Amino acid sequence: MANPSLLILAGDGIGPEVMAEVKKIIGWYGTRGGVKFDVSEDLVGGCAYDKYGTPLHDDTMAKAQAVDAVLLGAVGGPKYDNLDFSVKPERGLLRLRKEMDLFANLRPAQCFDALADFSSLKREIVAGLDIMIVRELTSGVYFGEPRGIFPDNEGGRIGINTQRYTTNEIRRVARSAFELARKRSGKVCSMEKANVMESGILWREEVQWVHDHEYPDVALSHMYADAGAMQLVRWPKQFDVIVTDNLFGDLLSDCAAMLTGSLGMLPSASLGAPMANGRPKALYEPVHGSAPDIAGQGKANPIATILSFAMALRYSFDLGTEAERLEKAVEKVLADGLRTADLMGPEGGKPVSTAEMGDAVVAALDASL
């Protein structure tokens, strides 16, 4: 049987630095962990624009469609701020999501005990937190037509974005949330604005339909998205899986991200329909951005990217045991007090570089055998 295939798109800023640590771990699995991967690499974002004049070359897009999973670092930086909107680095990432039809974005928010004091909330609110936000990723207001900036009738301009959802788009992401809940604590909370938006009414009705007809064993609740934001900072551990649309998912997942104390800790997965081999189309990336202010300084935290690879082990390759091994290695390193710059707090810890953090995770993997 062929080895599972990975395409690495390290991207811009700190992307290459954090991805270098993931490559160490991929290598560890090949030599000691019993799982060999066929790895290829290419460019996305600003570095792709520098070489190809486009943030995602057609050949790179074809590679992404052909592999079992894509691992992405980060895109963008001030160097590209004045580019035309159509060729900004972020357009490369959006094209990957759209053309691979990655409709379900999985954003876990997990608070490791060793980092509970880093949250802006009290320890007892966040300690042991483990929630999953499932964000619809390929429709909604970010993609709806008509859109644009147009002259109005009063000598000014009008900006238009269209919130649009179909039954199929809502039902398929709802199924992803219910499937995840079955493997977790069996609870889904769907969030929208059905009180003021017709798309929210449709969202609520279609999620309820999927529950009633296909997942009656999973507990389903509904909440307005603004109330959901309030509850995330009031009592986040009431939630297990949250499913929501593209815009609200963008906002709520960033809100949940800060419950854990650092964006440098948070992975994500974007999943689509199964391919011929049964594996879903998939892209895995850290939640943090390209952080150009610290790029090249060895200060970046690679853990979010490492945990993104753990998500790939679990969701693309059905290697849950190996994913858990990697997650526990990260947990051990943190419990031992190792801290990149973003994790240094009043209680101290041992400051380490990006590479040293990656090496420590590999050492913890060795110790797990």
Side-chain angles (χ1 to χ4, degrees):
M1 182 179 294
N3 296 333
S5 56
L6 294 168
L7 172 63
I8 290 179
L9 303 175
D12 308 318
I14 62 172
E17 296 173 71
V18 295
M19 198 61 73
E21 305 315 304
V22 175
K23 287 192 280 188
K24 293 177 183 176
I25 290 164
I26 293 171
W28 183 90
Y29 275 97
T31 57
R32 302 207 64 191
V35 187
K36 292 184 181 295
F37 294 90
D38 291 335
V39 180
S40 56
E41 298 189 50
D42 212 321
L43 304 177
V44 69
C47 59
Y49 177 83
D50 290 340
K51 183 170 182 177
Y52 303 126
T54 176
L56 187 72
H57 194 279
D58 289 346
D59 290 347
T60 311
M61 186 70 243
K63 291 178 185 177
Q65 296 281 23
V67 296
D68 293 321
V70 178
L71 300 178
L72 187 141
V75 297
K79 174 182 176 181
Y80 308 103
D81 285 349
N82 295 324
L83 290 178
D84 184 79
F85 181 77
S86 64
V87 291
K88 282 186 177 293
E90 294 77 12
R91 303 306 296 177
L93 174 57
L94 289 175
R95 183 184 175 192
L96 282 166
R97 292 172 176 172
K98 188 66 175 178
E99 294 191 19
M100 294 175 71
D101 200 16
L102 304 175
F103 59 83
N105 180 227
L106 279 55
R107 291 272 297 262
Q110 181 179 11
C111 186
F112 291 93
D113 284 345
L115 300 180
D117 291 323
F118 279 79
S119 173
S120 55
L121 300 184
K122 297 176 181 177
R123 168 179 277 272
E124 60 266 26
I125 300 294
V126 297
L129 179 69
D130 182 9
I131 62 178
M132 178 74 76
I133 295 181
V134 181
R135 166 190 173 190
E136 198 288 323
L137 201 60
T138 58
S139 189
V141 74
Y142 292 168
F143 294 98
E145 299 287 349
R147 63 180 295 159
I149 301 174
F150 308 96
D152 63 17
N153 295 326
E154 301 174 352
R157 297 184 298 163
I158 180 170
I160 296 176
N161 291 92
T162 303
Q163 169 80 337
R164 174 188 179 278
Y165 271 105
T166 67
T167 289
N168 179 62
E169 289 168 342
I170 299 169
R171 289 185 180 181
R172 66 181 184 176
V173 74
R175 291 185 181 104
S176 296
F178 286 122
E179 289 289 343
L180 280 167
R182 277 181 169 172
K183 298 174 183 177
R184 293 169 53 92
S185 298
K187 296 192 302 181
V188 170
C189 182
S190 175
M191 296 188 184
E192 27 57 18
K193 285 290 286 181
N195 54 337
V196 293
M197 298 172 67
E198 285 79 4
S199 61
I201 295 172
L202 181 69
W203 183 281
R204 181 173 291 214
E205 292 176 350
E206 295 297 347
V207 172
Q208 188 68 52
W209 187 96
V210 173
H211 170 267
D212 294 347
H213 288 81
E214 301 176 17
Y215 298 92
D217 56 302
V218 177
L220 172 64
S221 60
H222 300 276
M223 189 175 290
Y224 297 141
D226 51 347
M230 180 181 69
Q231 290 297 329
L232 274 172
V233 296
R234 175 181 174 269
W235 181 29
K237 285 187 278 190
Q238 70 183 278
F239 299 113
D240 179 26
V241 176
I242 295 171
V243 63
T244 190
D245 73 13
N246 206 340
L247 174 60
F248 295 137
D250 197 352
L251 300 173
L252 292 168
S253 57
D254 277 4
C255 176
M258 290 317 299
L259 301 178
T260 69
S262 174
L263 282 173
M265 293 294 299
L266 297 171
S268 76
S270 299
L271 306 180
M275 298 180 286
N277 61 8
R279 292 172 175 149
K281 292 275 188 182
L283 181 147
Y284 299 89
E285 58 179 317
V287 170
H288 63 67
S290 59
D293 56 318
I294 61 168
Q297 300 176 39
K299 295 180 178 179
N301 185 350
I303 288 178
T305 316
I306 290 170
L307 292 176
S308 294
F309 177 61
M311 292 186 78
L313 292 172
R314 177 173 283 112
Y315 296 117
S316 279
F317 306 118
D318 199 25
L319 295 170
T321 300
E322 294 311 315
E324 187 173 352
R325 180 190 301 276
L326 181 51
E327 291 160 352
K328 286 187 177 300
V330 169
E331 189 171 7
K332 182 181 187 305
V333 167
L334 294 172
D336 287 345
L338 275 66
R339 301 285 187 266
T340 44
D342 60 307
L343 300 178
M344 290 299 295
E347 83 288 352
K350 179 184 177 183
V352 295
S353 67
T354 307
E356 288 169 335
M357 182 64 86
D359 290 341
V361 174
V362 171
L365 285 170
D366 279 334
S368 74
L369 293 179

